[in-house]
Amino acid sequence: RRGNTITGFAGIESVPFVHLWSSVKHMAAADSFSMLNSIENLLRMRNHRGMIIPAHETSTFTNQLGKAGYKNLFQTNIHFKAL
């Protein structure tokens, strides 16, 4: 903060970041969404109000997430650094 202005934010697991990978060659879309639904329900039971799931723009999952009520927040790359 600077005065009454919020100037930045950093959060550690403030919103669950879910990693889900499923092979389109070996799993039906319904199976993938069944897994995702199980994760959503688990998080609801733990009183989470949202979750983040990354999906590459070329993934067939990306369009389906929109139909399932997910909002695409922004185009991004996710960065990792080994510590």
Side-chain angles (χ1 to χ4, degrees):
R1 282 190 176 263
R2 289 210 172 129
N4 291 330
T5 303
I6 297 173
T7 58
F9 169 80
I12 299 173
E13 293 188 36
S14 55
V15 176
F17 194 96
V18 175
H19 302 270
L20 173 64
W21 178 84
S22 55
S23 171
V24 295
K25 292 180 183 177
H26 302 286
M27 288 181 70
D31 295 330
S32 298
F33 275 95
S34 177
M35 289 191 323
L36 186 58
N37 189 49
S38 295
I39 294 166
E40 289 175 3
N41 289 331
L42 175 68
L43 292 173
R44 279 188 195 95
M45 290 188 319
R46 294 183 178 182
N47 296 317
H48 289 282
R49 294 182 178 189
M51 61 181 256
I52 295 171
I53 183 168
H56 193 272
E57 62 189 24
T58 62
S59 171
T60 56
F61 213 55
T62 299
N63 290 334
Q64 298 305 316
L65 287 171
K67 293 176 184 176
Y70 287 82
K71 291 182 174 53
N72 189 353
L73 299 176
F74 48 84
Q75 300 270 330
T76 188
N77 293 308
I78 299 170
H79 301 270
F80 170 79
K81 179 181 180 181
L83 303 176

